[in-house]
Amino acid sequence: MADNKIGGGAQTTQPRGKASGDSDGKGNLSATAGAVVFDLSKNGSGGSAGAVTAASGNWTPPACYYAPKYTPDKLQAYLEPIWSAESTGPQWDLEQRNRYVNGGVAKDFNKAKAGKGYWWDAYVTKGREGDPGALDCNEPIFWVDTGAAPPANIPQAVTPQVLAQLAYAEIRVPSTKVDLAPAGTTKVNLPTWAWLDTAKFKPVSVTASVPLLGVTATTTAEPRSLRIEPGTADAETYPASGVCEISGHHIGEAFAKGKAKQTPPCGVKYLRSSGDGSYKLRATITWKIHWTGTGVAVPRDLPDGTFGADQDVVVQEIQSINR
């Protein structure tokens, strides 16, 4: 019964959620956070995989959201012990009884509507517990009939779009280590070729759903471009912007014999030795992110995401022999 799927645990003034996961022995396949279930079977994995960061602006997935949490009986079981403890003050307790019991928004916790809807409350997005945005979901517990849309004045209420944003936060993409030629050690004023085989960077996706509501959204990330940052101002990039676009199944072009005098389509030229150390070359992939879901068959864009990694490059002076 649905009654067994909804539990307490969040106060109306201090939202929180709980998360759990399942594995098939090959990695996490699914996870739950409150009423939301995540299918991670097509997500990136491995120790070097990481979350994307929105490429521009200060956009982030929601730090909290509203979703079904209580049946009428569960809400009663959650609130009545709080009122009985008298720890919240008689005035607040009376206001709550008037709201949920005496007809303010419901009579007797809406038991007459049991099986025809749920009481919704706030959850905190996994990993965002200390985020100030987690306190934005401070609306009182509210009722939504089965099949009805959540209140329009509560933007964090779960919809396919909100699910897509929550799935964005769960996206994991592989670390970005580019192939270099020369590899590891290069020379001052010598173009260093950089490239990636995009077959190693296949699209990844996460599906978020609320089974109780029958709504779902799948967020997909696909590699778009590579940015090279040499790790020093004493360098030039190819192209000058440092951004290498995808061409076919590659970013950049693999070095091969006979190309030594050519300008690499993607790469870097160091103008000064790294001395006894090395430069931290940073390679960052930009991922194009979009979603589809319940009622949304044509992909809709979400902000591009980025994820990068550093690798050491030793740069030596070219040795000349004087005769």
Side-chain angles (χ1 to χ4, degrees), residues 210-231:
V210 181
L212 288 172
L213 303 178
V215 294
T216 186
T218 297
T219 299
T220 301
E222 302 177 87
R224 185 173 202 167
S225 62
L226 167 71
R227 175 180 288 277
I228 297 291
E229 297 173 87

Side-chain angles (χ1 to χ4, degrees), residues 193-267:
W193 292 58
W195 69 94
L196 277 173
D197 181 354
T198 57
K200 299 176 183 177
F201 293 85
K202 297 178 181 179
V204 298
S205 65
V206 171
T207 297
S209 62
V210 181
L212 288 172
L213 303 178
V215 294
T216 186
T218 297
T219 299
T220 301
E222 302 177 87
R224 185 173 202 167
S225 62
L226 167 71
R227 175 180 288 277
I228 297 291
E229 297 173 87
T232 174
D234 294 313
E236 298 174 356
T237 57
Y238 307 100
S241 65
V243 178
C244 307
E245 301 293 341
I246 290 179
S247 177
H249 295 291
H250 294 84
I251 299 177
E253 184 180 320
F255 179 78
K257 186 176 181 180
K259 294 182 178 181
K261 295 183 179 181
Q262 298 179 21
T263 299
C266 182

Side-chain angles (χ1 to χ4, degrees), residues 254-277:
F255 179 78
K257 186 176 181 180
K259 294 182 178 181
K261 295 183 179 181
Q262 298 179 21
T263 299
C266 182
V268 60
K269 179 170 70 176
Y270 288 97
L271 308 178
R272 188 183 297 272
S273 165
S274 59
D276 294 331

Side-chain angles (χ1 to χ4, degrees), residues 139-181:
E139 294 286 338
I141 300 170
F142 56 91
W143 177 268
V144 179
D145 288 330
T146 300
N153 65 334
I154 303 181
Q156 304 98 329
V158 157
T159 61
Q161 182 174 3
V162 169
L163 285 176
Q165 295 173 0
L166 294 172
Y168 186 113
E170 296 293 327
I171 287 285
R172 297 294 181 267
V173 296
S175 181
T176 311
K177 184 174 182 179
V178 295
D179 294 308
L180 299 174

Side-chain angles (χ1 to χ4, degrees), residues 253-316:
E253 184 180 320
F255 179 78
K257 186 176 181 180
K259 294 182 178 181
K261 295 183 179 181
Q262 298 179 21
T263 299
C266 182
V268 60
K269 179 170 70 176
Y270 288 97
L271 308 178
R272 188 183 297 272
S273 165
S274 59
D276 294 331
S278 60
Y279 293 123
K280 293 286 186 183
L281 181 146
R282 185 163 187 83
T284 301
I285 291 281
T286 294
W287 296 78
K288 180 176 176 57
I289 301 180
H290 55 81
W291 70 277
T292 57
T294 302
V296 180
V298 177
R300 296 184 182 178
D301 289 340
L302 287 168
D304 288 350
T306 63
F307 184 65
D310 296 332
Q311 56 195 92
D312 292 325
V313 178
V314 176
V315 182
Q316 300 175 340

Side-chain angles (χ1 to χ4, degrees), residues 26-28 40-50 172-175 204:
K26 300 178 181 179
N28 289 331
L40 307 176
S41 60
K42 297 180 180 179
N43 202 13
S45 60
S48 63
R172 297 294 181 267
V173 296
S175 181
V204 298

